[in-house]
Amino acid sequence: MKTESHRKAIKASYYSIFGNAALAIIKGVTGIFGNSYALVADAIESTTDVFASLLVLFGLRYSARPADENHPYGHGRVEPLVTFAVVGFLVVSATIIVMESIDNIQTPHKVPEPYTLIVLAAIILTKEIFYRFINRKSEETNSSSLKADAWHHRSDAITSLMAFIGISIALFMGKGYETADDWAALFASGFILYNAFLILRPALGEIMEEHLYDDMVEEIREISLKEKGVIETEKCFIRKTGMTYHVDLHVIVDGELSVNEGHEIAHNLKDRLLHEMPEIADVLIHIEPHETDNS
């Protein structure tokens, strides 16, 4: 089922696709005519960003499918899988930049044209704006794949910044420093790989159902104790599926209650949790009897 979060995330991914495509063309043309191999490498990186954003869009659309007989928890797990693929694109981008930079360092070429700095400055600003916008949307929608896409924009901004620094050095220092922008691109690739790891880590935790939600557990316990008939909460397990969460909760009630009364408490508590915490897709509540000390 396509929620408001899904609609926001999908809309944001379209911005990424068209933005990356436009910037890839601008970088490529400027790099070729401006004698900047770093910009050409940057254009290649932006081209892979387009495919990564398309993959994110596919994942967001697929994860919006409702639960079915084969996928009772929905299709949200496609999100971390897409994140893995996006990280793969980052690694490929960094590898391409390394190879191109090493090749260009060994190939004599002219100093880049001064106007490439103006283009780069505009690209850096644009990419940082894109990063902030997409990252904000990823936080609003709780989308791991959209967050990975946001970091694609940030890594692109960093490679462009490195290219800006390198070209500035080449222009200021003159002859003998023609490859400064290539060295800058080489250093930027290391930062891209580091960010790829930072993106991969939470997505891996999501797939492995690692416990990362202490604040949410505390909120669930506080809400549960407000429900009439709930004496205490026991186990509380949370699994993230895409942009939503599934909760397994053990609730302690009076052991003298009938099955129907215990069922009603569980039903009311589930409704309360789903209402007060809309990020939760479903709650499975297990009723435990309260043990009294008769000694």
Side-chain angles (χ1 to χ4, degrees):
M1 183 174 61
K2 190 178 290 185
T3 63
E4 182 61 27
S5 291
H6 278 99
R7 282 189 282 270
K8 283 183 180 181
I10 289 170
K11 186 177 181 180
S13 69
Y14 276 116
Y15 286 127
S16 281
I17 292 168
F18 292 118
N20 284 327
L23 287 175
I25 294 171
I26 293 171
K27 290 177 182 179
V29 172
T30 305
I32 292 170
F33 290 99
N35 300 320
S36 174
Y37 287 101
L39 257 177
V40 173
D42 212 5
I44 295 172
E45 201 267 343
S46 287
T47 302
T48 64
D49 285 353
V50 175
F51 291 105
S53 295
L54 284 169
L55 194 59
V56 169
L57 177 61
F58 164 77
L60 290 171
R61 287 190 171 279
Y62 188 85
S63 67
R65 293 183 178 184
D68 55 36
E69 186 176 348
N70 292 327
H71 306 88
Y73 291 102
H75 298 76
R77 283 293 171 84
V78 74
E79 276 239 60
L81 294 178
V82 168
T83 302
F84 294 157
V86 173
V87 167
F89 274 108
L90 277 171
V91 173
V92 169
S93 299
T95 303
I96 290 173
I97 291 173
V98 168
M99 294 172 63
E100 289 290 324
S101 298
I102 292 174
D103 183 59
N104 293 332
I105 288 170
Q106 298 172 341
T107 305
H109 56 80
K110 298 179 182 178
V111 173
E113 296 292 338
Y115 66 78
T116 57
L117 289 176
I118 300 174
V119 175
L120 274 169
I123 289 172
I124 293 166
L125 180 61
T126 302
K127 274 297 185 177
E128 183 62 22
I129 291 172
F130 264 105
Y131 163 75
R132 292 178 183 273
F133 172 75
I134 302 297
N135 190 59
R136 187 173 72 251
K137 292 300 179 182
S138 75
E139 292 174 352
E140 291 176 4
T141 60
N142 203 29
S143 171
S144 59
S145 61
L146 203 59
K147 189 172 190 65
D149 201 32
W151 270 101
H152 249 295
H153 290 293
R154 171 57 68 83
S155 67
D156 210 4
I158 290 167
T159 55
S160 296
L161 176 61
M162 291 297 179
F164 184 93
I165 294 171
I167 291 172
S168 298
I169 292 173
L171 289 171
F172 180 75
M173 302 299 291
K175 188 173 177 60
Y177 289 85
E178 294 89 350
T179 60
D181 63 329
D182 302 311
W183 281 104
L186 191 61
F187 286 123
S189 64
F191 192 86
I192 293 173
L193 289 173
Y194 174 70
N195 281 317
F197 170 76
L198 294 181
I199 296 167
L200 178 67
R201 180 64 185 85
L204 186 61
E206 186 174 333
I207 285 289
M208 297 298 294
E209 296 188 350
E210 184 179 357
H211 179 69
L212 302 167
Y213 315 109
D214 287 329
D215 291 342
M216 184 176 289
V217 168
E218 186 62 31
E219 186 176 359
I220 288 171
R221 293 192 190 282
E222 289 177 2
I223 293 173
S224 298
L225 292 176
K226 296 177 185 177
E227 184 61 41
K228 183 179 178 181
V230 175
I231 297 175
E232 189 55 85
T233 58
E234 199 184 45
K235 300 181 182 73
C236 183
F237 303 127
I238 299 175
R239 65 181 66 173
K240 186 173 184 288
T241 55
M243 302 180 194
T244 58
Y245 300 88
H246 289 259
V247 179
D248 294 334
L249 178 64
H250 288 218
V251 173
I252 299 174
V253 301
D254 185 350
E256 300 299 320
L257 295 178
S258 68
V259 173
N260 283 335
E261 289 171 322
H263 173 75
E264 184 178 359
I265 291 173
H267 185 76
N268 291 338
L269 176 56
K270 177 178 179 178
D271 288 345
R272 179 189 283 262
L273 287 169
L274 293 178
H275 175 71
E276 296 191 25
M277 299 181 70
E279 66 271 28
I280 296 177
D282 195 20
V283 184
L284 179 62
I285 298 177
H286 177 77
I287 296 296
E288 298 273 5
H290 178 60
E291 297 181 0
T292 56
D293 186 3
N294 297 319
S295 56

